[in-house]
Amino acid sequence: MIDEVGELLREAAARTVLPWFNQLSAEHIVEKAPGDLVTIADQQAEEFVAAGLRRLLPGSVVVGEEAVSVDDHLLRRLRDGGRVWLVDPIDGTANFAAGRRPFVMMVALLDAGVPVASWILDPIVGSLAVAERGAGCVVDGVRLADGVSGESPPLGKLRGALALRYLPDELRARVLAGVDGLGVVLPGQHCAGREHWDIATGEQDFALFWRTLPWDHVPGTLLVREAGGVARRLDGSPYDYTDDRPGLLVARSEAAWQELREALLPAD
């Protein structure tokens, strides 16, 4: 089924996402909430992927970002004991709507509430990252070495992204007070799935998020963990998608996570 889901995402990209890229008009874009966009491509892709996943795994439940935006009671299904698919048809919708990269398509499979597999597709280049719980992860068929980070670079050489937009003012001030000790602070890609991907492959060392919606982070945090990385809440507790609290710090290694927390989130 691992390969079948990947092929489903590729087909969905070819049929429902790429034809709309740089072809959207104003009537094809809706603001669900201030700054939170959905396009006709998001809607068509989610419908296509959801139907395909149900065929692949009869009796399974699909929880998609756009379906939840219409009926948030669907989120309760993530706590079901059976097999549940979590779908983000286009992660990075604002980028997609503006005709720029990155944006990705993401799926995760939950079994009895535990993420057991995830898929992230970059539709533009056709690159696919896949993670299986306890079995590692591959990118375009090439297995990532467990613990890609090796020895973590010192704090002054770490590079990563800080998503500051939604941080409360007091927390933002604390985080910004600690950035001088970091190597490179990136502006963020406005695409959580891509941030996780780049951490898993060693392209960057960390990312800090405030919003922790499950479709944004379940697929990518599984990828990071299977590559030897760490994804935890700001208080140090493991990331749990059923926990509605905001705040998530992801790093390529345990040592990097501890260094970053001490620098960016010093104890009061």
Side-chain angles (χ1 to χ4, degrees):
M1 187 168 58
I2 294 294
D3 292 341
E4 287 87 342
V5 175
E7 287 307 310
L8 174 64
L9 284 176
R10 292 186 190 280
E11 186 177 1
R15 293 193 181 193
T16 65
V17 175
L18 294 177
W20 288 108
F21 189 48
N22 277 317
Q23 300 298 319
L24 296 170
S25 301
E27 65 268 23
H28 299 136
I29 306 171
V30 175
E31 193 173 46
K32 296 184 289 187
D36 191 5
L37 304 181
V38 59
T39 73
I40 189 172
D42 293 84
Q43 295 165 336
Q44 290 182 353
E46 182 166 303
E47 292 172 2
F48 188 96
V49 171
L53 294 174
R54 293 188 186 101
R55 287 193 301 269
L56 285 174
L57 198 56
S60 61
V61 172
V62 178
V63 177
E65 177 182 1
E66 306 315 330
V68 170
S69 71
V70 175
D71 180 7
D72 61 7
H73 289 93
L74 288 172
L75 278 173
R76 298 174 184 171
R77 304 305 301 270
L78 293 178
R79 303 171 190 266
D80 285 355
R83 290 180 290 186
V84 180
W85 299 99
L86 184 60
V87 177
D88 190 343
I90 300 177
D91 179 49
T93 296
N95 292 339
F96 179 81
R100 63 174 181 261
R101 298 175 61 195
F103 58 91
V104 296
M105 303 173 69
M106 301 197 291
V107 169
L109 177 61
L110 315 178
D111 191 354
V114 177
V116 295
S118 68
W119 299 256
I120 305 178
L121 175 71
D122 182 332
I124 295 293
V125 299
S127 191
L128 178 68
V130 181
E132 292 184 78
R133 181 179 174 85
C137 51
V138 298
V139 176
D140 296 331
V142 178
R143 183 165 297 278
L144 297 182
D146 184 33
V148 65
S149 52
E151 286 192 15
S152 176
L155 185 67
K157 291 188 177 180
L158 294 179
R159 64 191 305 272
L162 302 175
L164 301 174
R165 176 181 176 186
Y166 296 103
L167 262 64
D169 292 343
E170 184 272 338
L171 181 58
R172 184 186 298 112
R174 288 172 61 194
V175 168
L176 289 174
V179 300
D180 286 345
L182 303 181
V184 177
V185 176
L186 305 170
Q189 303 181 68
H190 307 287
C191 177
R194 188 73 237 185
E195 303 281 7
H196 291 303
W197 185 323
D198 286 352
I199 294 170
T201 57
E203 293 297 316
Q204 66 187 58
D205 301 304
F206 68 89
L208 174 69
F209 306 94
W210 184 244
R211 299 205 305 176
T212 59
L213 297 167
W215 42 80
D216 286 337
H217 297 290
V218 170
T221 54
L222 181 60
L223 186 72
V224 168
R225 288 195 298 269
E226 289 300 317
V230 178
R232 295 201 186 110
R233 297 287 184 174
L234 304 187
D235 64 1
S237 60
Y239 171 62
D240 178 356
Y241 66 88
T242 66
D243 183 346
D244 294 333
R245 289 181 301 158
L248 177 65
L249 178 60
V250 183
R252 65 186 298 188
S253 70
E254 176 68 33
W257 195 95
Q258 295 294 344
E259 284 189 305
L260 288 160
R261 187 188 183 202
E262 185 175 344
L264 300 175
L265 305 164
D268 291 331

